[in-house]
Each structure stands twice: as structure tokens, then as C-alpha cells.
């Protein structure tokens, strides 16, 4: 609720909107609005942005584990590390799933796992044991790649060949902005 924070946020949004407005008629725009408006690409940007926003929760896990649950920094780091293990399995599985079924199924699975993870955390937030944390953390680690990988692949495949580099740049920018 800090006025400076709210002013900075509002100014940032206004500057991004102004840049997009100014760039829309340029022959080689920094942000190609036609990519963002595409019916096949926009949902991918949205899915990636929402998931990247959720992934930033992990930044606060170590603080939560230490401050609320009273874990040592070492134990908090080890538990946080566990969330990365499912990514090694989920990323290739998501790719296989996209190849076989298209992007909708893996993205739906990913968002379901993320929802289950966050919901599980909500029920155990103040009283979690290490064992109780494992399921939400594993769901989270499995869910993110099931959204991010298929969305990125679909976005880049849907972009015209001559605009794939711009689409890739926008994808990375949207991830950074969402973070």
C-alpha cells in the first residue's frame, strides 16, 4: 500500500502501454503487437506469465521454512531443492505429452498440479511437517514444466517463421515481467 510502490507500478504499466502503442506501427517494432494479439499465441503468453508468477513463490519458501516452521537454513535449502527433482522427470514427460496429445492436456495437467500444490500449502501453512510439505512441493515441481514447456513450444510453433525470434524474445520478456 506504499504510495511510492503504487506510483511505480502505475508508472510502469503506463510506460509499457505507451511503448506498445508507439511501436505498433513501426516496420521493426521492439514489441510486435501482432504476436500478442494472435488467438493461438496469446493464451500461451498468458499461461507462461501466470505460471512464472507462481514460480516466484519458491523464492519465499526458504524464508517461510525458516521463519514460520523454524527450520535451519540447511534444512530449508534441502526441502526447497526437492522441488527441483520432479522437473527432471516432468519436463521430458510434458514434451512427450505435447507430441502425442497437443498442448491442452499437458497444460491442464500442469495447472491442476499447481492448483493442488497451492491449495495443499494453504491447509498446512502454519503447522506443516517435513512429510506434509513433500506432496505440495512435488506437485509444484511437476506442475510448472507441464505448463511452461508446452506453452513455449506451442507459442514458437504458432509464430510465423520470420517472427520466431521476436516471439522468443517476447516470451522471455513476459517471464521476466511476470517474475
Amino acid at each position: 500500500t506504499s504510495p511510492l510502490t503504487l506510483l511505480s507500478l502505475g508508472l510502469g504499466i503506463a510506460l509499457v502501454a505507451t511503448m506498445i502503442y508507439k511501436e505498433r506501427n513501426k516496420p521493426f517494432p521492439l514489441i510486435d503487437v501482432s504476436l500478442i494479439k494472435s488467438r493461438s499465441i496469446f493464451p500461451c503468453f498468458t499461461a507462461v506469465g501466470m505460471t512464472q508468477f507462481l514460480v516466484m513463490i519458491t523464492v519465499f519458501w526458504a524464508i517461510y521454512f525458516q521463519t514460520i516452521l523454524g527450520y535451519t537454513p540447511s534444512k530449508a535449502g534441502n526441502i526447497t531443492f526437492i522441488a527441483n527433482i520432479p522437473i527432471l522427470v516432468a519436463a521430458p514427460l510434458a514434451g512427450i505429452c505435447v507430441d502425442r496429445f497437443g498442448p491442452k492436456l499437458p497444460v491442464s495437467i500442469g495447472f491442476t498440479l499447481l492448483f493442488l500444490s497451492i491449495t495443499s500449502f494453504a491447509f498446512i501453512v502454519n503447522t506443516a511437517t517435513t512429510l506434509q510439505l513433500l506432496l505440495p512441493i512435488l506437485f509444484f515441481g511437476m506442475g510448472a514444466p507441464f505448463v511452461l514447456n508446452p506453452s513455449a513450444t506451442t507459442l514458437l510453433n504458432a509464430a510465423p517463421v520470420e517472427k520466431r525470434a521476436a516471439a522468443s524474445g517476447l516470451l522471455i520478456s513476459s517471464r521476466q515481467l511476470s517474475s
Side-chain angles (χ1 to χ4, degrees):
T1 59
S2 162
L4 182 58
T5 300
L6 295 174
L7 178 66
S8 297
L9 181 62
L11 183 60
I13 291 169
L15 288 172
V16 168
T18 301
M19 183 178 75
I20 290 171
Y21 178 77
K22 293 267 187 191
E23 292 284 315
R24 67 188 170 123
N25 294 322
K26 304 263 176 161
F28 301 104
L30 184 61
I31 295 178
D32 190 343
V33 180
S34 68
L35 287 171
I36 297 171
K37 292 193 306 189
S38 168
R39 293 184 69 194
S40 56
I41 294 177
F42 181 76
C44 297
F45 276 120
T46 305
V48 167
M50 289 170 44
T51 304
Q52 190 64 44
F53 179 80
L54 291 174
V55 166
M56 293 314 295
I57 291 171
T58 62
V59 172
F60 300 102
W61 279 357
I63 297 167
Y64 160 72
F65 295 148
Q66 292 175 64
T67 307
I68 304 299
L69 300 180
Y71 292 170
T72 65
S74 177
K75 186 173 182 178
N78 288 336
I79 293 172
T80 302
F81 174 75
I82 291 170
N84 294 306
I85 295 170
I87 293 170
L88 298 172
V89 175
L93 283 177
I96 292 167
C97 200
V98 169
D99 291 343
R100 288 201 180 149
F101 307 108
K104 288 181 182 177
L105 179 65
V107 170
S108 297
I109 291 169
F111 275 127
T112 300
L113 289 168
L114 289 171
F115 173 78
L116 289 172
S117 172
I118 292 168
T119 304
S120 300
F121 267 121
F123 285 109
I124 61 171
V125 72
N126 292 322
T127 60
T129 65
T130 303
L131 191 58
Q132 288 173 320
L133 289 171
L134 287 181
L135 193 59
I137 286 173
L138 293 175
F139 281 164
F140 198 90
M142 289 289 288
F146 266 85
V147 176
L148 293 174
N149 295 0
S151 296
T153 301
T154 303
L155 184 148
L156 293 175
N157 286 337
V161 174
E162 68 278 1
K163 293 186 177 188
R164 284 196 179 149
S168 177
L170 278 174
L171 177 65
I172 292 167
S173 296
S174 72
R175 287 186 72 168
Q176 295 300 317
L177 182 64
S178 298
S179 293

